[in-house]
Amino acid sequence: MSLRKILVLEGVTAVCRFRDDGVLMEAEGILPQDLMDRLAKFAQWYRRMVSSNTDLLSLFSQMRGWSPSQGWVVQGAGMTVCSVGNMVCLFDNAQGSMNEIMDALREAAHE
């Protein structure tokens, strides 16, 4: 799935793909380039933090299935940032469907 197919989903304002080091590979949306770069870096950093935390939770709880994480969501009052793999998306809470966007990110991340 291309980034444009995600961008046309209701409420999506920005979507990008980034490398494992956080460098932006491609981006679509209304954010200026410097904010797209910062979004990619944030997503890479947050993915690393979530992975570390799920590994620790798995270790301490002795329960299977916590790791590896399948993605993450940070929801604010008006906007949400969500990510799967090396894809990250920013969308308006009032317009976007979290399930639809996460499904699209999951599909795009596994192409």
Side-chain angles (χ1 to χ4, degrees):
M1 176 176 277
S2 73
L3 295 183
R4 288 179 195 245
K5 287 183 181 178
I6 297 171
L7 184 63
V8 298
L9 296 175
E10 192 73 28
V12 174
T13 56
V15 60
C16 63
R17 184 183 315 269
F18 57 92
R19 294 190 327 209
D20 286 340
D21 61 359
V23 172
L24 186 66
M25 293 172 58
E26 56 182 324
E28 294 286 342
I30 61 171
L31 293 181
Q33 183 66 38
D34 64 318
L35 290 180
M36 287 289 198
D37 290 332
R38 288 171 46 191
L39 179 62
K41 203 58 145 164
F42 167 77
Q44 180 263 349
W45 171 82
Y46 207 86
R47 182 180 68 178
R48 290 178 60 197
M49 185 186 68
V50 167
S51 293
S52 297
N53 287 339
T54 54
D55 289 345
L56 284 172
L57 181 60
S58 181
L59 176 70
F60 291 135
S61 70
Q62 294 296 304
M63 295 172 60
R64 298 167 85 58
W66 290 107
S67 185
S69 63
Q70 300 299 306
W72 54 265
V73 176
V74 175
Q75 190 168 34
M79 300 293 285
T80 294
V81 179
C82 53
S83 179
V84 175
N86 66 340
M87 303 284 299
V88 64
C89 179
L90 176 68
F91 71 93
D92 185 310
N93 294 342
Q95 297 176 359
S97 164
M98 172 102 57
N99 290 336
E100 182 181 18
I101 292 168
M102 288 299 284
D103 287 345
L105 284 174
R106 200 172 294 113
E107 182 182 328
H110 292 102
E111 286 184 343

